[in-house]
Amino acid sequence: DTGVSQNPRHKITKRGQNVTFRCDPISEHNRLYWYRQTLGQGPEFLTYFQNEAQLEKSRLLSDRFSAERPKGSFSTLEIQRTEQGDSAMYLCASSLSRDPQETQYFGPGTRLLVL
Amino acid sequence: RKEVEQDPGPFNVPEGATVAFNCTYSNSASQSFFWYRQDCRKEPKLLMSVYSSGNEDGRFTAQLNRASQYISLLIRDSKLSDSATYLCVVNRGGYSTLTFGKGTMLLVSP
């Protein structure tokens, strides 16, 4: 399967703990995006990378959140000092900048539950 | 006003029915438009891009009206397998990032 992959698929943590999620994009895709989705809502943009450069961050991305894409391939999203409000599905997507429509393909997501 | 607004659901229709979803967007600089489909507890998957001239893919027809900032999706001869949430999606002006509507749930019954 050459689609976007995410690990872990599920994470349960206690409030105040740190968590890290990983995303592996489609291999030739140079753009990578993180979104968050809560129940009954559409995905909301968090941040995006072109190669290893983080080009945009949403206001939703508080200083407890950090994302990296050190070699322009996989990316990690870390949440420090988790809060119950962080419980959500975290989705990663990738795209190719030379695609005229820049279609984004999503991974299966990491479902986070903060107790 | 929300950036992307969709019909509130759910839509309950019998197999074989035709159903239409409507969507409006607020950013006139948006350049790319999509319909994504999301099954329960799964990731969104691209259903189709939406082009200015309108486009069709089998039983699915998408229309775009830039002047009214309105997008639609028509599903003909609906199947049980069409049951899902349909997300209206636009890019944000000159940016690559996407803005999603809340989605409209479709339930097709036998």
Side-chain angles (χ1 to χ4, degrees):
Chain A
D1 187 351
T2 56
V4 178
S5 63
Q6 292 187 245
N7 287 289
R9 296 289 306 277
H10 303 274
K11 179 70 177 180
I12 300 174
T13 192
K14 292 183 179 178
R15 191 174 50 189
Q17 298 294 304
N18 299 345
V19 294
T20 300
F21 309 141
R22 176 178 169 128
C23 171
D24 287 87
I26 293 172
S27 59
E28 66 269 26
H29 284 186
N30 58 338
R31 288 187 172 167
L32 186 149
Y33 309 80
W34 286 99
Y35 293 85
R36 181 177 71 183
Q37 186 174 23
T38 53
L39 201 61
Q41 304 294 319
E44 296 172 291
F45 166 72
L46 293 177
T47 188
Y48 109 88
F49 293 84
Q50 176 156 313
N51 302 313
E52 64 275 9
Q54 189 172 18
L55 296 188
E56 193 180 351
K57 293 195 284 188
S58 158
R59 288 190 306 272
L60 293 175
L61 211 69
S62 77
D63 56 8
R64 297 184 299 105
F65 287 70
S66 62
E68 294 183 340
R69 194 182 183 200
K71 297 180 181 177
S73 56
F74 73 91
S75 175
T76 57
L77 177 68
E78 181 183 17
I79 310 174
Q80 296 182 323
R81 304 181 304 281
T82 51
E83 301 173 355
Q84 287 182 322
D86 296 332
S87 296
M89 169 89 98
Y90 289 84
L91 290 159
C92 176
S94 69
S95 70
L96 197 55
S97 57
R98 66 171 184 266
D99 171 1
Q101 281 287 103
E102 269 206 72
T103 302
Q104 294 185 23
Y105 297 89
F106 283 81
T110 295
R111 193 172 295 276
L112 173 66
L113 178 62
V114 182
L115 301 175
Chain B
R1 181 183 171 189
K2 292 194 176 182
E3 286 192 62
V4 179
E5 294 203 62
Q6 296 188 237
D7 289 330
F11 283 26
N12 286 279
V13 303
E15 267 186 295
T18 295
V19 60
F21 300 128
N22 301 309
C23 170
T24 56
Y25 61 95
S26 61
N27 188 342
S28 59
S30 294
Q31 296 165 340
S32 299
F33 309 90
F34 309 90
W35 285 100
Y36 276 73
R37 170 199 167 123
Q38 187 171 28
D39 293 295
C40 189
R41 301 182 72 82
K42 300 282 191 180
E43 74 272 23
K45 292 188 175 175
L46 179 68
L47 179 66
M48 57 198 302
S49 300
V50 187
Y51 302 110
S52 296
S53 53
N55 49 301
E56 189 173 305
D57 183 2
R59 298 181 293 108
F60 299 85
T61 301
Q63 299 278 353
L64 169 65
N65 184 323
R66 286 184 186 268
S68 304
Q69 295 179 202
Y70 168 85
I71 307 165
S72 66
L73 176 68
L74 185 76
I75 305 176
R76 291 181 300 279
D77 188 24
S78 51
K79 313 290 185 191
L80 295 177
S81 57
D82 294 333
S83 297
T85 295
Y86 290 83
L87 296 159
C88 177
V89 187
V90 307
N91 80 330
R92 296 192 304 114
Y95 298 93
S96 300
T97 54
L98 301 177
T99 302
F100 287 76
K102 289 177 70 170
T104 303
M105 184 182 290
L106 171 66
L107 299 168
V108 182
S109 54

